Amino acid sequence: MHLICLVGHVSTDLVSPLFDRGFGFTRVTLLHDPAIGDAMRAVAEVCRKAGLATTVLPLRPRYDPATIRERLEAALAGSRQPCVVNLSGATPVQAAIGFEVASRHAVPVFAVEPEADTLVRLSDAAGAPLANGYNIADRMRLEDYFRLYGAEIVTIECRLSQRDPNLEGWAAGFAELAARRPRAILALNALAADVDAGWISRGALHHPQPELAELLHESRLARLLPDGRIAFADRPSHRFLHGGWLERWIFSQAGALVGELPIQDLACGVRIRVDGKVDNEFDVAILCNNQLYLVECKTILAEGVDRATLFKLDSVAHVGGLAAQAMLASLSLPTDHEERRAEVQEIALLSGRALLGAAGRLRQWLGGAAVAA
């Protein structure tokens, strides 16, 4: 089957049906606004890596009904396979002309409802793919999603196939300690911020922290020296204890929801490169129901979560055109002003003792995807 897309903007709804074997697509033609030509090269790469024969054609001049009509007519006439038209990423002009031409040729037309990731049939033409309301299969991976927006994954610290039960267990221990004794985490952060070449803190604890000392001893990630300094086992242990435990805690709590929610990929410590030159790092990345969710983790204990952090998170969630949902997980509690700012920026908040209920908060946050599935 041949999928023809009229494209005015890039989104996962263009390509997610291509990963769903229920449609049986083997070829795709992308008729696009020439203003997004650079972006279309990334979309075409995703299609080709998915194993589809891919044709990319610009619609010049822009918004010209005759051009759109002629290009679509030619694509339909030249196809040796049954055709289907996807209007998910179309401009209003493209959608109007596309529906008209497809209807005249009795070719099925559909779009994908972006929030629910479900099929919306726009015509009753014979051979229409699957039923109205069909949930698109969740077969994309993080690599596919980032590639769609011209980004590549450089490194990933951990993903679903590489889970470490021991680290996740210790992450739970530090989350509990943070909820009960946040000052112990504050002390740990201060010492971990300045270590020598042997991964030993230059500073020492000013006050006894027996629960912290016990947790470090049991984990074998570090030990408390008689003089109050902390000796970290190695670089990875230092990274984990200097805030990485919160990333792994959120990762583990999202992982616990796999099977209950349509989580198709999950990773922590994800570094991407945009346009081959700009690097960005995401603490936790969740791909659920073909939508991307990003979590920024902060173990700093202060007055408020810092408005600059909210602005930065909003920025990285949309870098390169990413259409990601964002959450800030923080030991610090937001001020009233920061809560209002986060609401305006559509950033979910998980903070303070609520971190222990991360699974429930994540379930609520990803709830739209769960309902759709």
Side-chain angles (χ1 to χ4, degrees):
M1 187 169 286
H2 183 178
L3 179 66
I4 301 175
C5 300
L6 289 166
V7 190
H9 68 273
V10 176
S11 76
T12 55
D13 302 327
L14 293 175
V15 300
S16 57
L18 302 176
F19 290 83
D20 188 328
R21 297 191 184 96
F23 290 95
F25 293 124
T26 58
R27 173 175 292 276
V28 61
T29 295
L30 304 167
L31 304 177
H32 69 89
D33 185 327
I36 59 171
D38 290 343
M40 291 310 298
R41 282 192 282 274
V43 176
E45 183 182 3
V46 172
C47 296
R48 292 181 179 121
K49 284 186 177 294
L52 286 93
T54 304
T55 302
V56 184
L57 296 171
L59 297 168
R60 294 192 179 95
R62 299 177 68 195
Y63 304 117
D64 178 48
T67 298
I68 299 170
R69 186 175 289 108
E70 289 168 9
R71 287 286 194 183
L72 182 54
E73 294 269 10
L76 293 172
S79 180
R80 298 180 180 180
Q81 300 170 285
C83 295
V84 180
V85 174
N86 181 0
L87 297 179
S88 298
T91 66
V93 175
Q94 291 171 351
I97 301 301
F99 183 81
E100 170 205 317
V101 172
S103 297
R104 181 153 33 87
H105 286 267
V107 169
V109 185
F110 76 91
V112 177
E113 203 284 317
E115 295 293 331
D117 194 40
T118 52
L119 185 77
V120 180
R121 286 179 54 175
L122 301 174
S123 72
D124 294 322
L130 306 175
N132 192 54
Y134 170 78
N135 186 254
I136 308 299
D138 307 316
R139 298 189 182 279
M140 291 183 69
R141 292 295 175 260
L142 286 167
E143 286 84 354
D144 304 311
Y145 189 99
F146 286 119
R147 189 179 292 121
L148 184 64
Y149 293 94
E152 62 174 333
I153 293 179
V154 180
T155 57
I156 290 180
E157 182 177 320
C158 179
R159 61 194 319 168
L160 279 172
S161 59
Q162 306 165 321
R163 296 183 69 170
D164 186 328
N166 290 327
L167 281 183
E168 291 184 18
W170 295 124
F174 280 96
E176 292 175 6
L177 179 62
R180 291 186 291 103
R181 298 283 187 271
R183 293 294 170 183
I185 299 299
L186 182 63
L188 175 61
N189 287 343
L191 297 186
D194 186 15
V195 296
D196 62 21
W199 301 105
I200 298 176
S201 67
R202 290 189 170 89
L205 290 174
H206 297 299
H207 303 285
Q209 297 287 351
E211 291 175 283
L212 173 61
E214 183 180 358
L215 196 53
L216 293 177
H217 175 74
E218 291 177 355
S219 70
R220 298 183 181 180
L221 299 171
R223 58 193 173 91
L224 187 62
L225 301 178
D227 62 3
R229 293 181 299 157
I230 293 179
F232 298 91
D234 49 29
R235 181 190 294 271
S237 298
H238 175 264
R239 189 208 178 299
F240 179 85
L241 294 171
H242 196 202
W245 62 266
L246 182 53
E247 298 173 23
R248 195 61 65 107
W249 168 245
I250 298 299
F251 171 86
S252 70
Q253 295 305 284
L257 299 176
V258 173
E260 176 185 345
L261 300 181
I263 296 174
Q264 59 211 79
D265 207 356
L266 168 65
C268 66
V270 181
R271 182 179 294 276
I272 69 166
R273 184 162 296 151
V274 181
D275 297 329
K277 52 188 177 182
V278 181
D279 283 13
N280 288 271
E281 187 167 353
F282 307 117
D283 293 337
V284 181
I286 306 168
L287 194 57
C288 181
N289 214 28
N290 292 316
Q291 298 176 51
L292 181 64
Y293 297 81
L294 301 173
V295 186
E296 177 80 3
C297 299
K298 294 291 186 182
T299 58
I300 297 173
L301 190 61
E303 286 252 358
V305 298
D306 183 15
R307 188 171 60 174
T309 298
L310 295 175
F311 280 106
K312 178 184 176 183
L313 180 53
D314 182 59
S315 176
V316 299
H318 298 92
V319 65
L322 291 179
Q325 301 294 315
M327 171 183 281
L328 175 61
S330 170
L331 289 190
S332 301
L333 297 173
T335 64
D336 291 343
H337 177 75
E338 288 168 342
E339 284 189 348
R340 291 192 294 271
R341 173 54 58 184
E343 185 175 357
V344 169
Q345 294 176 295
E346 298 184 328
I347 296 174
L349 296 175
L350 175 63
S351 55
R353 294 185 62 87
L355 289 170
L356 293 180
R361 184 69 179 95
L362 288 168
R363 183 184 291 109
Q364 180 187 39
W365 188 42
L366 303 170
V371 171

